[in-house]
Amino acid sequence: MKRIMRYLAFVCFLLTSAYCSAQTGYNFKFKVTGWKDTTVYLGHYYGESTYIKDTARVSAAGEFVFDNKKTLDQGVYFLVLNKNKIFEFLVGSNQRFTLDTKEEDYIKNMKTSDPDNKLFFENMLFNMERHKEAEPLLKVLQDSTLTEDQKKDARANFNKINDKVMAYQAEIIAKHPKTLTATIFKSNTAVKIPDAPKKADGSIDSTFQLRWYREHFFDNFDLSNDALIRMPRPVYREKLKEYTTKLFVPQADSVIKAVDKVIALAKTNKETYKYSVFVFIQEYQQPEIMGLDAVFVHLYDKYFVTGEMDYWATSLKKTLKEHAERLRKSMIGKVGPNLIMQDANFKPRSMYDIKNKYTILYIFDPDCGHCKVETPKLADFYKQNKAKFDIEVYAVSTDTSMAKMREYMKKMDMKWITVNGPRTYVGPHSDLYDSPTTPTLYILDDKKKIIAKKVPAESLAEFFTNYEKFLKARAANQAKPKTPSKT
């Protein structure tokens, strides 16, 4: 009988264990001494944004529970009380734990049943102590009245403190590699670039370190781990931007290759796949560097036209398509579409009728404050350089009022071709040339191929001087006799 009872007890134990291990969802039991009879919110980060995920009622004893059958996405979460963020904690693979603390000092008084959060809060305390040590040293290092020699000891001691922090994090990574705390530490650890080897002729391979760094840039940062999207600082976005802007020449072909490589690394996780594409779409929608709008068109074609992003962006596709098609028509290297609009005398003027070596397409609004600053600069450039560079300006007013356009032309001394954009024979100029803001400027050559865009008026002389040099160098290079190949 005793054997049967022991057997039944053992079976019950197995069933209970199986039930516990099969539990899904999250259950966070909190006790905050000092809180009572109030409502608290569970929030989380996502990129640069924060979101509220759940709500709980605090009892008279300061106890409350967040509980749901659905598992939470991993990352850094926080409590919100009276619209204020109180403290952060981790949500990792273990989502059933307790947190017990006191209002007077949440971090120092924190006790938790979760090993990952234990590491997380211990690190906070460790960093607080290191910060206290570093404070007087930072004051010395930031003192502009001291010489570098006078700061020498402070810098050495500050570096020792930094070494302590790095050693502490390295130990966590080594001892607890599967924790979210270790993942966060590792993601912030820079890769060590090896010395460049010597080539066969004894010289140093000057490109080795850049090539190596590009290849190993994400060794410590798992692009397929979506927990890294839910961090207090947008480290995921920052990492993508650093890779594409600092390690590659800002030319469309180079950037497109870099972007595609990053997205391929993120693709194994739907959330990181979505987020990486979204980051780059935002980054290159209106790029600061001329010509990189081609990256946006590439992203749209490869990830949205193909249906790759349909699992989250079906409603967004129409807007992206409209923008991509505008950019596609007016990208550098493309032949710009013709514009035919009425001038101040109600006569149609075609941009393609301009026979000058260069055409400046200038899109402006008579009421635009920035236009009132840029237009006089363009007028001065035009007077001084029209003949020198063989330039004509085709200016498009975006306002429907012909009277307002005439008044603006007179006030700004506009001696070039000016037309009224809404009085068009070929469709809206904004559908043919991307011009979300005014003024917008394009430069076209004698074949009406777009060679530049959004060049500030004060930089036009420099641009044309450099472009003329480029044309002469290209012509001279093409004129050189080619060395016959050996047969």
Side-chain angles (χ1 to χ4, degrees):
M1 187 69 173
K2 287 182 180 178
R3 286 184 180 179
I4 294 172
M5 292 299 293
R6 281 200 296 268
Y7 174 76
L8 289 173
F10 179 67
V11 170
C12 288
F13 170 77
L14 288 178
L15 289 172
T16 304
S17 300
Y19 171 76
C20 290
S21 63
Q23 283 183 300
T24 58
Y26 61 89
N27 182 277
F28 309 139
K29 293 179 180 177
F30 285 83
K31 181 177 181 181
V32 181
T33 302
W35 289 10
K36 60 179 180 178
D37 302 325
T38 187
T39 300
V40 64
Y41 301 91
L42 175 66
H44 71 91
Y45 300 96
Y46 190 91
E48 292 90 345
S49 303
T50 57
Y51 298 91
I52 295 298
K53 189 69 179 179
D54 205 346
T55 308
R57 187 67 188 171
V58 182
S59 71
E63 296 176 345
F64 54 97
V65 179
F66 293 109
D67 183 81
N68 197 290
K69 292 180 180 179
K70 188 176 180 182
T71 304
L72 283 177
D73 295 318
Q74 295 185 27
V76 176
Y77 285 67
F78 52 85
L79 296 184
V80 176
L81 183 67
N82 298 325
K83 298 183 179 180
N84 295 314
K85 187 167 65 178
I86 306 302
F87 63 82
E88 298 168 340
F89 63 97
L90 295 183
V91 173
S93 56
N94 173 31
Q95 299 198 0
R96 309 184 79 80
F97 54 79
T98 61
L99 290 166
D100 187 326
T101 188
K102 296 178 182 179
E103 189 175 24
E104 55 261 29
D105 195 320
Y106 299 109
I107 307 305
K108 284 185 178 180
N109 293 306
M110 183 63 69
K111 296 175 183 177
T112 177
S113 64
D114 179 45
D116 208 344
N117 270 296
K118 188 173 186 294
L119 293 173
F120 183 71
F121 287 107
E122 285 174 351
N123 174 64
M124 286 189 193
L125 292 172
F126 177 83
N127 284 339
M128 287 176 185
E129 292 301 315
R130 301 295 76 74
H131 181 71
K132 284 179 185 178
E133 290 178 21
E135 259 187 325
L137 302 174
L138 282 170
K139 286 181 181 178
V140 175
L141 294 175
Q142 293 169 355
D143 190 341
S144 59
T145 65
L146 299 177
T147 65
E148 287 304 309
D149 193 53
Q150 289 172 314
K151 297 178 181 180
K152 186 177 178 181
D153 289 343
R155 181 168 284 106
N157 289 326
F158 181 80
N159 288 337
K160 286 179 182 178
I161 294 171
N162 189 58
D163 289 342
K164 282 183 187 177
V165 173
M166 299 307 293
Y168 178 88
Q169 293 184 0
E171 186 178 3
I172 297 298
I173 294 169
K175 289 184 176 180
H176 310 279
K178 294 183 179 180
T179 62
L180 184 52
T181 303
T183 298
I184 294 170
F185 289 164
K186 188 177 180 180
S187 70
N188 288 312
T189 304
V191 294
K192 293 181 180 179
I193 304 173
D195 294 334
K198 289 184 178 180
K199 295 191 285 189
D201 61 2
S203 63
I204 298 294
D205 186 347
S206 60
T207 65
F208 169 81
Q209 289 187 317
L210 176 59
R211 287 186 283 108
W212 188 95
Y213 194 39
R214 283 176 176 172
E215 190 64 30
H216 296 273
F217 186 79
F218 295 106
D219 280 3
N220 294 331
F221 194 99
D222 184 0
L223 286 168
S224 65
N225 188 343
D226 60 284
L228 295 173
I229 301 173
R230 300 177 194 89
M231 293 290 124
R233 205 179 83 242
V235 291
Y236 200 105
R237 179 186 288 269
E238 290 170 0
K239 200 73 174 175
L240 300 193
K241 189 170 183 179
E242 183 183 356
Y243 181 71
T244 54
T245 61
K246 292 187 178 180
L247 301 188
F248 294 87
V249 177
Q251 295 174 345
D253 290 345
S254 296
V255 174
I256 284 170
K257 288 178 183 177
V259 163
D260 281 346
K261 179 181 178 179
V262 168
I263 294 172
L265 291 171
K267 191 174 181 178
T268 54
N269 180 323
K270 279 191 172 184
E271 193 63 29
T272 52
Y273 187 28
K274 171 184 79 174
Y275 186 72
S276 60
V277 171
F278 174 73
V279 166
F280 288 130
I281 279 287
Q282 282 193 322
E283 184 71 22
Y284 296 103
Q285 186 174 8
Q286 293 293 338
E288 294 179 3
I289 298 176
M290 184 168 62
L292 291 187
D293 47 8
V295 181
F296 181 93
V297 175
H298 168 80
L299 288 166
Y300 171 72
D301 288 345
K302 184 166 183 176
Y303 301 101
F304 292 90
V305 173
T306 58
E308 283 282 298
M309 293 289 109
D310 279 359
Y311 70 94
W312 73 277
T314 50
S315 60
L316 186 63
K317 280 178 77 171
K318 183 180 178 183
T319 302
L320 294 177
K321 179 181 180 181
E322 290 170 355
H323 188 61
E325 294 310 319
R326 279 196 303 273
L327 291 178
R328 197 189 307 279
K329 293 173 187 174
S330 54
M331 287 195 301
I332 291 174
K334 295 278 189 178
V335 174
N338 193 18
L339 297 177
I340 306 173
M341 294 156 182
Q342 289 182 359
D343 65 12
N345 298 315
F346 300 102
K347 292 182 179 179
R349 301 294 296 270
S350 169
M351 189 174 71
Y352 273 17
D353 285 345
I354 296 173
K355 304 303 179 186
N356 298 68
K357 186 175 182 180
Y358 301 106
T359 300
I360 294 177
L361 169 60
Y362 182 65
I363 301 169
F364 70 96
D365 181 343
D367 294 323
C368 157
H370 191 46
C371 297
K372 291 173 183 176
V373 174
E374 285 292 298
T375 305
K377 294 178 183 178
L378 180 59
D380 288 342
F381 167 80
Y382 182 73
K383 289 173 189 174
Q384 296 171 23
N385 297 281
K386 173 179 168 60
K388 179 181 178 181
F389 296 116
D390 189 16
I391 295 166
E392 186 53 88
V393 174
Y394 188 88
V396 179
S397 173
T398 62
D399 195 284
T400 56
S401 172
M402 191 68 84
K404 192 181 288 186
M405 186 183 88
R406 289 195 194 100
E407 183 183 348
Y408 191 82
M409 290 168 61
K410 185 177 179 180
K411 184 177 180 180
M412 297 292 174
D413 195 24
M414 295 161 67
K415 303 296 185 182
W416 52 61
I417 300 167
T418 302
V419 295
N420 190 269
R423 297 169 187 264
T424 177
Y425 297 85
V426 292
H429 69 274
S430 57
D431 286 349
L432 302 174
Y433 289 88
D434 183 50
S435 50
T437 59
T438 53
T440 294
L441 185 147
Y442 285 83
I443 302 174
L444 299 82
D445 67 10
D446 57 338
K447 301 291 191 299
K448 296 299 179 286
K449 184 177 76 175
I450 299 168
I451 58 174
K453 59 170 71 174
K454 300 178 182 178
V455 180
E458 63 264 26
S459 302
L460 286 171
E462 181 184 4
F463 168 81
F464 281 108
T465 299
N466 291 333
Y467 190 74
E468 290 278 290
K469 287 179 182 177
F470 162 73
L471 291 179
K472 287 179 182 178
R474 186 175 66 178
N477 188 55
Q478 290 173 345
K480 287 181 182 178
K482 293 181 180 179
T483 305
S485 59
K486 294 180 181 181
T487 57

